[in-house]
Amino acid sequence: MKEEGLGCQLKYTAEVNGWKPGTGLSNFGDMGFFGWVIPFARASVEGTITDGEKTIQVSGIGYHDHNWLNFQFQKIINYWMWGRIYSKTFTVVYAFIQCNDKTDNHTVKVLMLADGKEVILSSGEFDFHKEDFEYNPRAKYQFPRKVIICSPPSSMSLSM
């Protein structure tokens, strides 16, 4: 890619197998659907970045996803939080999409955990908590400084 003196040439090599949550589609009835796939949940990236006459070699960890839809998503979304967590061997990708009253405040929850290259967990069953909010005057919005992703409390009880 190159435009107006800025450019990059990057090579992504997958470190985690490609993944999609469930079928990759979230259906919203008569409104339409939202699709999401993640070909590179974690990739080694190497290449160059060019700024004018200066070109530098770069390397690091990369991520790439792709989503598509057939309606105006922003009309039903209150907010969408997503992120990635990397350790030496584990990769986590998550999303929490809070819809508005047009969908009865439906939530879309997505969680992927990989150990090395292999995805070992793909789930929408988790609790998502936000804490310690901070107001950002540029965005005119409050953002959590802390999110907690955990297993939901079990609705089953075991008696002996």
Side-chain angles (χ1 to χ4, degrees), residues 37-54:
V37 296
I38 305 173
F40 296 101
R42 181 182 190 143
S44 58
V45 181
E46 58 184 37
T48 59
I49 295 177
T50 304
D51 182 2
E53 299 299 316
K54 185 178 179 182

Side-chain angles (χ1 to χ4, degrees), residues 12-144:
Y12 280 62
T13 303
E15 292 185 2
V16 172
N17 292 331
W19 172 78
K20 62 184 175 185
T23 65
L25 295 175
S26 294
N27 291 298
F28 291 90
D30 294 340
M31 287 183 269
F33 66 85
F34 166 74
W36 188 27
V37 296
I38 305 173
F40 296 101
R42 181 182 190 143
S44 58
V45 181
E46 58 184 37
T48 59
I49 295 177
T50 304
D51 182 2
E53 299 299 316
K54 185 178 179 182
T55 298
I56 59 172
Q57 292 290 130
V58 294
S59 64
I61 296 174
Y63 170 90
H64 170 67
D65 70 7
H66 182 72
N67 50 59
W68 65 98
L69 52 138
N70 66 351
F71 70 107
Q72 292 182 338
F73 209 33
Q74 66 272 21
K75 288 188 176 185
I76 68 163
I77 300 297
N78 276 344
Y79 63 90
W80 178 351
M81 297 185 75
W82 65 272
R84 302 170 307 280
I85 303 166
Y86 300 127
S87 76
K88 276 189 167 186
T89 58
F90 292 102
T91 300
V92 176
V93 175
Y94 67 89
F96 184 90
I97 304 168
Q98 181 62 61
C99 298
N100 61 28
D101 57 0
K102 291 179 183 171
T103 65
D104 294 326
N105 298 307
H106 177 71
T107 56
V108 177
K109 298 188 280 186
V110 174
L111 179 71
M112 183 277 288
L113 170 65
D115 183 357
K117 284 188 80 83
E118 298 302 318
V119 174
I120 60 173
L121 176 68
S122 178
S123 179
E125 300 297 321
F126 61 90
D127 285 339
F128 189 85
H129 303 280
K130 304 173 299 294
E131 296 180 0
D132 191 17
F133 284 78
E134 180 178 315
Y135 182 76
N136 182 299
R138 280 185 91 181
K140 298 179 182 172
Y141 197 79
Q142 285 193 31
F143 296 94

